[in-house]
Amino acid sequence: MKVRASLKALEQKPGSSVVRRHGRVLVINKKNPQWKARQG
């Protein structure tokens, strides 16, 4: 999982969903798990 300052580009990828867990913003992509990321 990558840690990024901005998740805007990853939100646009097909299959992406933005999730909030434990106060963190995560991007999870079932189609392409290499785009899994956390903000901050």
Side-chain angles (χ1 to χ4, degrees):
M1 178 181 294
K2 296 178 183 70
V3 179
R4 294 172 53 115
S6 176
L7 301 177
K8 191 66 98 173
L10 293 177
E11 291 176 20
Q12 311 302 325
K13 306 274 191 193
S16 291
S17 60
V18 182
V19 181
R20 296 200 60 160
R21 288 184 190 161
H22 308 288
R24 292 181 172 156
V25 182
L26 308 175
V27 169
I28 297 170
N29 196 316
K30 299 274 189 186
K31 290 185 179 177
N32 200 336
Q34 76 178 14
W35 287 329
K36 193 164 74 169
R38 155 170 97 73
Q39 181 167 319

